[in-house]
Amino acid sequence: MSTLEGKRILIVEDEFLVALTASEMLGELGAVVVGPAGTLKEALELARTQDIDLALLDLNLYGQSSMAVADTLDLRRIPVVFATGYERGGSKDAGRLVLGKPYTQEKLAMQLCRALDGRAGRERRDTGAGIS
Amino acid sequence: MPDTVSTEGSAQAFAVCGIGLSAGGLGALREFLTHLGAVEGTSFVIVQHQSAADPAHLNVLASFSSFPVVACEQGMQIAPGHVYVAPAQSLVGIEGGAFTVRAARVRGAQLRTVDYFLNSLSARFGRRSIGIVFSGNSADGTQGLISIANAGGFTLAQSHDTAEYSTMPGSAVAMGVVDRVGSPAELAVAFRDHLANLANPKFALRSLAKQELHEICDVVRQATGLDFRHYKESTLFRRVVRRISVLHLSSARDYIDHLQKQPEEARLLTRDLLIGVTAFFRDPDAFETLKQKVLTKLIADNRASIVRIWVAGCGSGQEAYSLAMLAQEVKQACGSRQEVQIFATDLDDRALATARRGIYPANIADEVGTERLERFFERVGRRYRVTKELRQLVVFSPHNLIADPPFSRIDLISCRNLLIYLSAPLQKKLMSVFHYALREGGYLFLGSSEASSGHPELFRVIDARSRIAQRKETVVANASVPRVLGGGQSNWQSTIADDPADIGRIAQRILLDEFAPAYAIAHEDGQIVYLSGKADTFLQPPEGRYVNHIVRMTRGGLRAGLRGAWTKALKTKRTAHFEGLVLHGENGRRRVRITVQPMPALGENDGTYMVVFGDLGAAEAREGASAVPSADSERMVELLEAELLRTREELERAVQDLEAANEELKSSNEELLSMNEELQSANEELETSKEEVETAKRALEETNADLLNLLHSTEIATIFLDESGAIRNFTPAASRLYNLLPGDIGRPLSHITHNFVSAAILPSVQQAVQADGPLEDEVTLDASQTFLRRVTPYRKADGNAAGTVVTFIDISDRKLAERRLASKDAVTRALAECSTLELAATRILAAICEHWDWKVGVLWHADEATDSLSCLQVYQQPTYHAAAFLESCQSATLTFGDDLVSRVWRTGQAAWVPDLLLERPVGQNEAAVRDGLRSAFAFPIVLAGHRLGVFHFLDDRVRPTAAVLFKMSHPIGSQVGQFIERSKAQHALRESEQRYRAVVESQTELVCRFRPEGAILFANEAYVRSQGRSQEQMIGHDFWEFVAAQDRDSVKQMLARLSPVLPEVRIENRVVTKDGERWFLWTNRALEFDADGRCVEVQSTGIDITDRKVAENQRQLLIDELNHRVKNTLAVIQGIAHQTFTKDASPIEARNTFYGRLAALGAAHGLLAQQSWDRIEINALVRNALEASGATNGRCLVGGPPVLLEPRHALALAMGLHELSTNAIKYGALSNANGTIGVSWTTTGETKPKLSLEWRESGGPPVSSPSRRGFGLMMIERALGGEAGCSVQLDFHSTGIVCRIEVALPGTSTSGAADEHA
């Protein structure tokens, strides 16, 4: 399994406390946090421009979907993990790795590592929701 | 008897010989033809059973025949000098000189082709027909030979010792019809002889001298002991001629010679003479009568002694068996156990043998009848045999009726068709024999052409037609028994007991021969018939003409005495003696006693006498002169005797003359007798006709009486008129219509007054005759009586009309019935065709008024609620006006009053008012009378005890009660009642149906019925409405059209689960409606299954659950949202915790801080929840945050304009305010007792509105800038600072902390952001 050591991870999260916590957790895991971005505009900018290994996206940014960010990252073949409070993923995030809020550091690391191992992540996408 | 072939028109006659043969017959035929050689004037027709007339066969025949051999063909003419061969299996006949050939239908033993041909031959050729039967194995040919014999032809048959199979010829021989029996060679000779005879033109025996017949009879008598002299000459003649013909003799003389030389011939002739036609139940009516009148009486009595029946002249037994059958039948019918014995006798031994065998040909079936055939016969091959039961009843025996002594104590003598062959005297004689033989009251049964009526003293006629007579009880002295003396010994075994030779009888004979006196037996005419051995002593034939007379034959001396005794004995019929006679004979003078003794043993009045000459020994000289006659006196005596002799001779001559005259008289007498007999039979016929006339008369009388009784009983008035119209006769019933008296017969009918109201003119005789059938019209006597007058011609027996017959048939009842029927029919029709009582009522009222002649009719209808009657309908005849009355009716309401209608309603009984004027003028009665109505009739409409109304009819005449209307009123009343009830029920039903329909139609559930494959059978209003279609557009359409495409498969699967075990399934699916897709919950119930348990019809009830579905989705969304928020909140709390529990903070302080932050978050959330997470008013938010933090209101001044904040801004603001207040309580303005906090805000900016909030602390302890930016500050900065248009500025003034916060207000920044990311 991959490690997050030195990985550049984009965090998109409108709730600053949550973003802050995630940043700290990832920092403790040795990763480099890109962002966090609180708005869609900011997130899209970062997604287009930054050197990113992995992204943790909140689906809902002040009532706006972050799907556009995910699409952008897909184009760059950057793996994405959605963090969400919704029990069931909508049709949009089908096939994505999902991390249910609130999450522990272990869970965060696990899902992100999975996402890094793209093939494995794609294979297990069906069970992703169940893991949360 | 046709004896030539007439069709050819040729004079030359020829004979045709039919030859029948079967198995083994061909050899015989060859021998016969070979021996025959060439003969002329004949043809042969060969009929065979077996071989076909194939060419090879014909050739074989041709080789030994001297004639051309030809196969028979249809229509082929018969010519002499040919041998014709009949095809096998064909019935060949002769018709008009040509052959007829047709295929035989039966085969084998049943085949009778020979009989068929010989019958045909005999009919055509008669005397010139010849029949020969050769070897064969059936009975075919016998019948044919009989026909030929009867036709006078010649019959031959092969003898059994020469025939290979002798059945066929043997059968014919046994029947005694064959003239010649012999080997084929012998037959050939006989055949040639016969032909020669036929060819002899001299042979035409037309008559035989009487003398010759007598001679023949004598010869026959000598040879056979049978005397046929008494047979009718014509019978004798025919039989003798046939024999002469058969023997090919040319004259009667030759025949007599032949007869004398050949004893066998006498037997043959006898047989011919004795042949009688006999049959079972010949003359069946007579037998039936015998059964009814005689046998039943004899057998039913069940008496002790045996019933003895004697069948005299039984022939081959048919008559005897017929009687036996009848006897058995009677016994069975009566249940009698009476024993019956039948003696059947005949002269002919051969016939008796046949009779004893009891086997008869199959054709007796017609005579006997199927029933008897089954009961009394058993099948023996192709023939029938009489059962043993019957044969045991009959004893057959030879017996000569004329010569042998008769039986005695017989109950019934049947002697049929025998007397006709006998001459009248013999008939007469036999009648007395029968009288003798019968017991008292015994019966005599004769043939149809015989009669006992010639002997009224002996028999009384029981049934003239059937010739049945009963023995009279009169004692007849002269019952004589004829007997040929010295011969004709009876060999009747069963009636004469065996006489063992006893000594007494031998002794008597010796005594008679040795010691008895000489005697002679003489008839009463003096003729000596018998002499004893020593009679010559006393008798001496006189000189001169020989006279056979006892007195004349007696020697002189005895004559006078004998004459005296003879005369005396004849006169007294008693023994007469004469003694003291002296005979001068060889032995000298002998004393002689003469006894003349009648011989009663031989019959009372036969006139046979025995003359006994008793020799009393030598005469002694008498004492005295007188005793010794002198020579003179002797001489004198001789002279006197000579004179006496002369005188006597003269006397005898006279007597002879007298006798001659007497003879003549006798013969005339005989003639007279025969005439008498004829008269007698004529008389009998007359008697019969008289009886018939009497019967007819009786029948006529009976018919007459019947007719009279008929006329009386039927009460049909009938008048008979003659041509002039005068009354010939009339029946009593007619006097009701016409004022007729018995004395009026003869008067013209037109003179008599009649009682008719209306009657057309009576048709005349001519009119009646010319009419096709009877002339009919109706006449009315009075209102209630109608008659059908029918006039027919009175025809006499010759068919001519002699007047007319006028009959009057009472058709009043019919008329009434017609009216009843018509009115009932009208009522029924009205009720059937009208939907309401109002409509029907008019028609009913009209019909009854019309048919029963009422002027006005009213229908009153009962109202149960008010218990009153009101007028429902009125009617008046078009010719009548009762406007006032009807108007009063229409406005009236009747309760229980006293008028007719109320009364009828009250009682429920029909009522009639003949005259309204006699009624009390109450209610409608009065109104009616005012309108001129006089009589009324009313009857109720009743059903099951309920009085539903009243029919009311009125007339302007006074009318007597008519029972028929009463009778009719009940059915009409109940019929109308039923109609009323029915329409009520129908009304109720309609209402209930409407209600039901409304319920179904008004419900919102969709209801439909359909077949699983899709056809809609029913859809309710709701369903139809949901589709925005009409009912018609739905029914029959495909159900699946209405199921949303995406749900069709699942619905189909669900419906497929319907089974008898699971008859109902619920399905939720979307339905395409006119308003788009909507969710429905369907309850599908299977109504019907096919044999395989598959559902074929479903009823579905659907409820629209679209709203529920939407609500469910909403709820799910809400839950999802809630979950999301909770999780997000938890993530925030996690963040708070993460920031609060740092490694620097003490656990207790960190915990308290965490609790405070959670409480602030909670308070903010509470406020958000209150506002349903919508915008939050700032004033409330601020106060709420301060309060939650524990900052007392009294030291906090809060103020600003009302501003609405977005939730996330509000949350961040609330958390920020919490940190500020907590800091103020710990370290700031609120940490001492004097500090205050001022929170104020304003809004700025038009295009981008902003909230500017200031937190200003004052009066607290001196403030120093913090070494480290605490969580609270970071919280404010980061929460609000990240946002566009938001900013946080914190100043640590010495007087206290001042915090300025700017927040973008909704409607600008958010929308701007939204725009930005669109």
Side-chain angles (χ1 to χ4, degrees):
Chain A
M1 183 194 279
S2 315
T3 63
L4 301 173
E5 187 69 42
K7 293 285 187 290
R8 294 177 59 78
I9 298 174
L10 171 66
I11 298 178
V12 180
E13 172 63 64
D14 59 346
E15 192 67 60
F16 86 95
L17 268 171
V18 176
L20 189 65
T21 309
S23 301
E24 283 178 9
M25 282 179 177
L26 288 176
E28 282 167 20
L29 289 165
V32 179
V33 174
V34 180
T39 66
L40 185 64
K41 188 181 172 188
E42 199 179 345
L44 280 171
E45 180 65 29
L46 291 175
R48 266 196 297 270
T49 58
Q50 293 298 304
D51 181 14
I52 301 167
D53 293 317
L54 190 63
L56 178 67
L57 263 63
D58 183 3
L59 261 175
N60 193 340
L61 298 174
Y62 299 118
Q64 290 180 309
S65 168
S66 63
M67 221 48 184
V69 182
D71 291 345
T72 307
L73 291 169
D74 276 351
L75 288 174
R76 295 179 63 189
R77 302 193 180 280
I78 296 168
V80 175
V81 172
F82 285 108
T84 178
Y86 290 109
E87 277 297 327
R88 287 165 291 192
S91 58
K92 288 176 185 170
D93 59 342
R96 308 271 183 185
L97 279 168
V98 175
L99 181 62
K101 288 181 183 176
Y103 43 82
T104 61
Q105 194 171 19
E106 286 76 25
K107 264 197 183 156
L108 175 67
M110 193 172 76
Q111 284 303 80
L112 289 174
C113 286
R114 255 190 206 162
L116 273 176
D117 187 0
R119 191 177 299 262
R122 295 241 174 245
E123 279 174 359
R124 295 189 186 179
R125 64 191 175 189
D126 288 344
T127 55
I131 290 160
S132 65
Chain B
M1 202 184 287
D3 55 2
T4 57
V5 179
S6 56
T7 49
E8 294 187 24
S10 110
Q12 66 197 59
F14 62 96
V16 174
C17 173
I19 301 174
L21 52 98
S22 186
L26 208 57
L29 176 64
R30 175 205 285 265
E31 198 184 338
F32 174 76
L33 286 177
T34 312
H35 277 90
L36 193 62
V39 288
E40 279 182 358
T42 185
S43 270
F44 298 88
V45 179
I46 294 162
V47 183
Q48 289 168 276
H49 281 169
Q50 285 168 331
S51 57
D54 54 70
H57 185 74
L58 296 181
N59 287 341
V60 172
L61 267 179
S63 68
F64 54 78
S65 159
S66 36
F67 303 104
V69 178
V70 199
C72 290
E73 281 169 28
Q74 171 74 29
M76 182 187 274
Q77 291 289 334
I78 305 177
H82 285 82
V83 172
Y84 297 97
V85 179
Q89 301 292 341
S90 296
L91 294 173
V92 177
I94 300 175
E95 209 169 88
F99 286 112
T100 60
V101 180
R102 61 187 177 89
R105 255 173 285 161
V106 292
R107 312 244 141 195
Q110 299 279 320
L111 200 62
R112 289 177 60 190
T113 49
V114 180
D115 279 345
Y116 185 84
F117 177 72
L118 295 183
N119 283 339
S120 175
L121 178 66
S122 68
R124 195 69 217 150
F125 281 79
R127 210 161 60 80
R128 291 184 183 278
S129 56
I130 302 162
I132 308 178
V133 172
F134 285 131
S135 165
N137 206 1
S138 76
D140 194 11
T142 305
Q143 185 61 47
L145 290 186
I146 291 173
S147 303
I148 288 182
N150 284 343
F154 188 47
T155 55
L156 305 101
Q158 196 177 2
S159 55
H160 77 275
D161 50 334
T162 61
E164 207 170 317
Y165 294 94
S166 61
T167 322
M168 209 157 101
S171 166
V173 173
M175 285 305 286
V177 293
V178 182
D179 295 322
R180 275 301 153 79
V181 181
S183 67
E186 287 166 355
L187 294 181
V189 173
F191 187 87
R192 288 180 75 92
D193 289 350
H194 180 71
L195 273 189
N197 245 305
L198 275 181
N200 182 1
K202 283 185 288 181
F203 182 77
L205 198 61
R206 290 279 172 263
S207 65
L208 266 103
K210 229 177 183 179
Q211 186 56 40
E212 286 164 342
L213 273 183
H214 275 258
E215 272 184 61
I216 289 168
C217 284
D218 281 346
V219 177
V220 170
R221 187 160 60 110
Q222 281 162 9
T224 65
L226 299 174
D227 192 351
F228 290 104
R229 275 177 304 179
H230 301 291
Y231 265 51
K232 275 187 183 160
E233 278 178 10
S234 57
T235 313
L236 279 172
F237 174 77
R238 270 205 306 278
R239 303 285 197 248
V240 169
V241 164
R242 191 187 117 78
R243 288 307 303 166
I244 291 171
S245 167
V246 164
L247 292 167
H248 318 309
L249 301 174
S250 52
S251 71
R253 181 50 50 196
D254 291 351
Y255 181 71
I256 294 169
D257 290 348
H258 177 77
L259 200 57
Q260 282 165 338
K261 278 179 226 151
Q262 299 283 334
E264 181 64 8
E265 177 59 29
R267 202 182 57 74
L268 289 174
L269 178 63
T270 308
R271 207 177 64 209
D272 269 14
L273 282 167
L274 293 176
I275 282 178
V277 186
T278 178
F280 285 98
F281 298 104
R282 188 175 179 193
D283 200 358
D285 291 344
F287 271 95
E288 189 53 36
T289 313
L290 183 77
K291 182 181 173 183
Q292 301 302 337
K293 293 196 174 173
V294 177
L295 286 173
T296 310
K297 204 173 282 178
L298 287 176
I299 289 166
D301 286 355
N302 220 353
R303 62 185 199 216
S305 60
I306 297 173
V307 168
R308 291 153 61 93
I309 299 173
W310 178 17
V311 180
C314 64
S316 41
Q318 283 93 329
E319 191 181 322
Y321 286 128
S322 298
L323 282 172
M325 283 185 244
L326 290 180
Q328 288 296 89
E329 284 171 5
V330 170
K331 268 169 76 174
Q332 200 176 37
C334 303
S336 166
R337 304 175 61 86
Q338 177 64 54
E339 260 189 87
V340 176
Q341 180 74 64
I342 297 173
F343 307 105
T345 64
D346 203 283
L347 273 179
D348 190 351
D349 290 349
R350 282 164 166 270
L352 284 174
T354 309
R356 280 198 196 95
R357 271 203 310 276
I359 296 175
Y360 298 97
N363 61 13
I364 62 159
D366 295 340
E367 300 160 12
V368 175
T370 330
E371 206 176 302
R372 283 175 176 147
L373 200 62
E374 272 177 26
R375 174 146 178 230
F376 297 111
F377 291 85
E378 51 202 27
R379 220 186 160 90
V380 180
R382 273 167 294 111
R383 304 200 281 180
Y384 292 98
R385 178 195 281 161
V386 178
T387 56
K388 203 175 172 193
E389 170 202 5
L390 221 56
R391 274 183 285 141
Q392 281 176 343
L393 221 58
V394 188
V395 176
F396 290 98
S397 170
H399 177 265
N400 188 338
L401 190 61
I402 300 159
D404 290 345
F407 299 93
S408 56
R409 303 192 326 281
I410 297 291
D411 292 291
L412 167 65
I413 294 173
S414 170
C415 179
R416 311 196 73 222
N417 303 309
L418 182 120
L419 295 181
I420 47 167
Y421 296 110
L422 305 180
S423 63
L426 193 54
Q427 282 186 19
K428 191 173 178 181
K429 216 160 207 178
L430 277 181
M431 289 311 283
S432 37
V433 170
F434 291 151
H435 186 268
Y436 167 81
L438 286 169
R439 70 160 75 238
E440 284 188 11
Y443 296 93
L444 180 62
F445 182 36
L446 296 177
S448 56
S449 44
E450 298 153 343
S452 64
S453 52
H455 311 276
E457 75 284 0
L458 300 179
F459 294 99
R460 99 168 50 89
V461 175
I462 297 291
D463 189 299
R465 195 181 288 265
S466 305
R467 309 295 189 212
I468 299 170
Q470 191 176 25
R471 183 188 193 268
K472 272 190 175 176
E473 296 314 314
T474 46
V475 180
V476 179
N478 61 349
S480 60
V481 182
R483 165 179 286 237
V484 178
L485 294 168
Q489 194 66 33
S490 168
N491 51 358
W492 181 260
Q493 301 300 327
S494 59
T495 53
I496 292 179
D498 290 340
D499 287 7
D502 59 90
I503 294 173
R505 185 159 285 201
I506 298 169
Q508 274 176 10
R509 179 159 300 164
I510 295 169
L511 209 60
L512 277 171
D513 289 349
E514 299 300 323
F515 303 104
Y519 64 94
I521 295 172
H523 281 296
E524 64 184 333
D525 57 1
Q527 201 170 353
I528 297 167
V529 292
Y530 189 82
L531 292 173
S532 74
K534 294 171 284 187
D536 58 332
T537 318
F538 305 96
L539 299 176
Q540 184 181 38
E543 296 162 28
R545 193 172 61 86
Y546 172 77
V547 179
N548 180 3
H549 194 282
I550 184 75
V551 178
R552 293 289 304 276
M553 298 273 272
T554 312
R555 288 180 185 270
L558 298 179
R559 230 174 268 160
L562 177 59
R563 185 175 292 123
W566 180 257
T567 313
K568 189 179 174 191
L570 251 64
K571 208 188 239 173
T572 60
K573 305 246 186 304
R574 285 177 192 281
T575 312
H577 303 282
F578 201 96
E579 286 184 41
L581 292 170
V582 176
L583 175 69
H584 297 266
E586 294 149 27
N587 302 336
R589 290 160 55 92
R590 306 289 294 183
R591 283 197 293 123
V592 175
R593 186 176 76 168
I594 290 177
T595 308
V596 180
Q597 168 81 35
M599 292 180 69
L602 296 175
E604 293 264 324
N605 204 14
D606 187 40
T608 313
Y609 293 84
M610 183 183 271
V611 180
V612 183
F613 302 96
D615 189 351
L616 301 179
E620 287 159 21
R622 295 274 181 93
E623 299 109 46
S626 59
V628 185
S630 64
D632 282 350
S633 61
E634 290 229 350
R635 176 74 194 148
M636 190 64 188
V637 167
E638 271 178 26
L639 281 172
L640 284 171
E641 279 204 344
E643 196 179 326
L644 187 63
L645 196 64
R646 270 198 310 277
T647 317
R648 191 164 294 148
E649 276 170 359
E650 272 172 26
L651 184 66
E652 268 181 18
R653 267 196 301 278
V655 165
Q656 274 168 8
D657 288 348
L658 197 65
E659 277 179 353
N662 200 22
E663 279 294 317
E664 276 172 30
L665 277 174
K666 265 190 187 166
S667 68
S668 338
N669 186 33
E670 265 171 43
E671 276 171 33
L672 280 172
L673 272 180
S674 70
M675 273 172 71
N676 186 29
E677 190 149 327
E678 278 167 28
L679 280 173
Q680 192 67 38
S681 67
N683 189 28
E684 254 172 59
E685 277 167 28
L686 278 174
E687 288 259 341
T688 316
S689 2
K690 188 186 155 202
E691 270 174 37
E692 280 169 12
V693 166
E694 268 176 12
T695 313
K697 193 184 151 205
R698 267 199 305 280
L700 197 65
E701 278 169 359
E702 276 172 19
T703 311
N704 226 354
D706 287 351
L707 201 64
L708 266 178
N709 281 316
L710 177 75
L711 287 173
H712 279 252
S713 66
T714 52
E715 290 202 325
I716 295 174
T718 309
I719 302 172
F720 301 88
L721 300 177
D722 63 12
E723 298 92 327
S724 63
I727 299 164
R728 201 194 285 275
N729 205 342
F730 63 89
T731 62
S735 54
R736 256 182 70 220
L737 309 175
Y738 284 87
N739 297 320
L740 281 168
L741 294 169
D744 291 334
I745 289 175
R747 289 178 62 193
L749 184 64
S750 52
H751 291 189
I752 313 291
T753 56
H754 61 69
N755 300 327
F756 297 120
V757 174
S758 69
I761 297 166
L762 201 63
S764 66
V765 180
Q766 282 72 29
Q767 283 170 316
V769 169
Q770 281 158 10
D772 265 346
L775 292 167
E776 292 183 345
D777 51 9
E778 285 178 11
V779 294
T780 45
L781 190 63
D782 55 48
S784 63
Q785 279 199 296
T786 310
F787 287 85
L788 179 72
R789 185 177 68 188
R790 179 177 289 169
V791 181
T792 49
Y794 182 101
R795 291 194 188 279
K796 291 187 291 193
D798 58 9
N800 289 332
T804 53
V805 181
V806 187
T807 55
F808 297 89
I809 299 157
D810 189 344
I811 54 166
S812 315
D813 287 346
R814 199 183 80 192
K815 279 276 171 194
L816 267 184
E818 274 173 13
R819 284 160 76 188
R820 260 175 77 180
L821 215 62
S823 46
K824 276 175 87 168
D825 184 47
V827 170
T828 308
R829 197 126 29 87
L831 291 176
E833 290 168 5
C834 297
S835 54
T836 65
L837 183 61
E838 283 84 349
L839 291 174
T842 316
R843 284 176 58 175
I844 294 169
L845 291 171
I848 295 178
C849 283
E850 207 171 293
H851 288 298
W852 299 99
D853 208 14
W854 294 102
K855 292 294 182 289
V856 174
V858 183
L859 173 59
W860 299 89
H861 187 249
D863 184 347
E864 282 176 37
T866 60
D867 208 16
S868 65
L869 280 175
S870 58
C871 172
L872 186 77
Q873 200 62 266
V874 297
Y875 175 83
Q876 60 183 346
Q877 291 267 34
T879 52
Y880 195 77
H881 296 284
F885 170 69
L886 293 178
E887 210 169 291
S888 81
C889 285
Q890 276 162 331
S891 58
T893 302
L894 302 179
T895 49
F896 286 124
D898 202 24
D899 64 306
L900 175 67
V901 176
S902 304
R903 213 162 60 217
V904 167
W905 183 36
R906 197 171 60 232
T907 60
Q909 301 292 328
W912 187 290
V913 178
D915 190 349
L916 283 170
L917 290 179
L918 303 177
E919 284 280 299
R920 286 176 57 198
V922 290
Q924 296 308 304
N925 292 357
E926 193 198 354
V929 171
R930 273 208 305 276
D931 254 354
L933 294 165
R934 286 294 298 277
S935 52
F937 170 61
F939 62 92
I941 300 168
V942 177
L943 186 77
H946 293 283
R947 296 185 287 272
L948 305 172
V950 175
F951 272 107
H952 187 196
F953 297 96
L954 301 101
D955 195 21
D956 59 347
R957 297 168 296 168
V958 171
R959 283 175 70 163
T961 310
V964 63
L965 274 169
F966 276 92
K967 211 186 283 175
M968 208 181 67
S969 69
H970 184 70
I972 291 179
S974 63
Q975 217 177 339
V976 174
Q978 277 165 8
F979 178 82
I980 293 171
E981 282 300 301
R982 203 163 50 234
S983 38
K984 270 187 194 165
Q986 275 170 356
H987 186 67
L989 191 68
R990 258 198 306 279
E991 281 190 342
S992 123
E993 193 184 312
Q994 275 166 0
R995 266 198 302 278
Y996 167 75
R997 184 173 289 276
V999 167
V1000 170
E1001 293 301 351
S1002 63
Q1003 71 179 11
T1004 51
E1005 282 89 353
L1006 307 196
V1007 179
C1008 74
R1009 281 187 184 189
F1010 61 93
R1011 295 193 188 284
E1013 75 272 8
I1016 293 177
L1017 306 171
F1018 168 79
N1020 74 339
E1021 190 57 36
Y1023 204 128
V1024 171
R1025 253 198 326 271
S1026 77
Q1027 297 299 329
R1029 299 189 186 205
S1030 70
Q1031 198 103 29
E1032 291 72 35
Q1033 284 170 316
M1034 296 288 295
I1035 289 170
H1037 272 248
D1038 190 0
F1039 157 81
W1040 295 106
E1041 271 179 48
F1042 308 110
V1043 178
Q1046 63 268 40
D1047 291 342
R1048 278 178 199 160
D1049 287 343
S1050 63
V1051 171
K1052 263 180 198 162
Q1053 279 170 16
M1054 287 297 282
L1055 287 179
R1057 289 169 62 191
L1058 283 171
S1059 71
V1061 183
L1062 180 77
E1064 187 174 297
V1065 292
R1066 289 171 173 243
I1067 307 173
E1068 282 182 17
N1069 66 280
R1070 276 156 289 190
V1071 175
V1072 184
T1073 71
K1074 71 178 193 318
D1075 303 321
E1077 259 181 28
R1078 291 191 71 83
W1079 279 96
F1080 275 87
L1081 169 63
W1082 294 103
T1083 303
N1084 297 286
R1085 179 158 259 290
L1087 297 176
E1088 207 182 322
F1089 294 95
D1090 65 10
D1092 300 329
R1094 277 192 303 263
C1095 166
V1096 292
E1097 193 176 328
V1098 182
Q1099 168 156 325
S1100 283
T1101 310
I1103 308 167
D1104 190 337
I1105 53 165
T1106 310
D1107 292 343
R1108 197 193 81 195
K1109 277 277 177 189
V1110 168
E1112 268 178 11
N1113 287 343
Q1114 198 82 37
R1115 194 189 65 207
Q1116 193 59 48
L1117 276 176
L1118 276 173
I1119 288 169
D1120 287 351
E1121 189 60 33
L1122 183 67
N1123 196 34
H1124 170 70
R1125 283 178 198 225
V1126 166
K1127 297 272 181 68
N1128 270 349
T1129 309
L1130 285 173
V1132 170
I1133 292 165
Q1134 188 185 26
I1136 293 170
H1138 196 86
Q1139 297 303 325
T1140 309
F1141 295 102
T1142 58
K1143 53 185 181 281
D1144 306 331
S1146 75
I1148 301 299
E1149 197 186 345
R1151 191 191 66 198
N1152 291 337
T1153 309
F1154 182 69
Y1155 285 168
R1157 285 174 179 163
L1158 276 186
L1161 186 67
H1165 270 283
L1167 200 63
L1168 272 173
Q1170 275 174 22
Q1171 301 298 321
S1172 303
W1173 287 80
D1174 209 351
R1175 294 178 184 181
I1176 293 174
E1177 212 280 313
I1178 191 163
N1179 194 24
L1181 180 87
V1182 172
R1183 290 173 195 281
N1184 187 38
L1186 290 176
E1187 211 171 301
S1189 309
T1192 51
N1193 208 20
R1195 290 164 76 179
C1196 297
L1197 294 170
V1198 179
V1203 176
L1204 291 173
L1205 292 170
E1206 288 203 38
R1208 62 191 171 98
H1209 292 156
L1211 260 178
L1213 190 60
M1215 291 304 286
L1217 288 173
H1218 169 72
E1219 291 302 322
L1220 288 171
S1221 358
T1222 311
N1223 191 60
I1225 291 164
K1226 262 186 187 165
Y1227 312 107
L1230 297 184
S1231 62
N1232 62 8
N1234 306 315
T1236 57
I1237 297 169
V1239 184
S1240 62
W1241 62 88
T1242 58
T1243 51
T1244 60
E1246 286 298 312
T1247 53
K1248 289 187 176 175
K1250 257 183 203 173
L1251 170 78
S1252 296
L1253 183 142
E1254 190 187 65
W1255 174 282
R1256 184 175 289 273
E1257 292 183 22
S1258 60
V1263 174
S1264 59
S1265 191
S1267 58
R1268 195 183 57 87
R1269 292 177 77 88
F1271 168 75
L1273 188 60
M1274 186 182 69
M1275 185 79 186
I1276 296 163
E1277 280 180 346
R1278 297 288 293 270
L1280 297 170
E1283 293 244 8
C1286 297
S1287 64
V1288 178
Q1289 193 188 342
L1290 188 66
D1291 293 319
F1292 296 92
H1293 291 281
S1294 55
T1295 53
I1297 287 171
V1298 175
C1299 187
R1300 289 191 183 82
I1301 300 168
E1302 287 191 345
V1303 178
L1305 288 174
T1308 49
S1309 65
T1310 46
S1311 65
D1315 289 342
E1316 219 171 321
H1317 300 292

